[in-house]
Amino acid sequence: MSMKLRPFKSIAIFLIAACAHIHWATAQNSTQNEPKTACLSPKNIKAPQLYGIWQVTFTNPPAGLPVKAVMLLEKHAEFSDSLAGIVSRDGVTAKGHTAKSALAGDVEDGFVILDESSNNISISGTWNGELVQASCGSQIKGVWKDTSASASADAPDVPFTMVRRPGW
């Protein structure tokens, strides 16, 4: 009789060991066991922490410019501490602006400053934003200004909010 039970004992011991191993591995990967890391202060965020795709929402944009845009920020080709990228707007009809415009700028002490160019020669818009304190570098609020040749001298500052899209 002990001969017949031996295979069952072996299987039972194997299954118990396997379950213990899986439970141990799960516990190692659990984020509940890891200390929570604090966000960087906006003043400590540098250009590389802003690389990625951002959703931009404007408050009361001027006629011809949409309420939403998508922005890609990446490493500047010539200045490694700076930002470069593209802002894409669907349905652009405003003079002096194109559906896709180039961006270049810097981040310093929690402020993001970008110049926009629709023709890669002259500046057609400026972005002056500030990293939101508790957002861990995933939200920027500020104002955009139309500086294209067709903009009026009293073109208003247009408030914007940028939110980083997940997955970058």
Side-chain angles (χ1 to χ4, degrees), residues 28-101:
Q28 273 193 328
N29 291 329
S30 173
T31 56
Q32 293 173 348
N33 296 338
E34 297 174 14
K36 296 199 184 226
T37 55
C39 297
L40 285 175
S41 162
K43 291 185 178 207
N44 294 325
I45 291 178
K46 303 295 181 206
Q49 281 97 19
L50 299 181
Y51 298 165
I53 299 174
W54 296 78
Q55 180 68 48
V56 181
T57 305
F58 295 98
T59 304
N60 299 321
L65 290 174
V67 172
K68 301 229 181 246
V70 176
M71 184 182 289
L72 169 66
L73 293 177
E74 53 193 4
K75 183 179 178 180
H76 194 285
E78 294 179 48
F79 307 105
S80 61
D81 293 337
S82 295
L83 296 164
I86 297 171
V87 60
S88 299
R89 298 180 180 100
D90 289 334
V92 174
T93 58
K95 273 187 161 182
H97 296 281
T98 56
K100 290 188 181 192
S101 297

Side-chain angles (χ1 to χ4, degrees), residues 9-27:
K9 284 183 183 179
S10 297
I11 291 172
I13 291 170
F14 172 77
L15 290 174
I16 291 169
C19 289
H21 178 70
I22 290 170
H23 178 71
W24 177 78
T26 303

Side-chain angles (χ1 to χ4, degrees), residues 8 12 18 114 132 142-143:
F8 293 111
L114 299 167
V132 174
V143 294

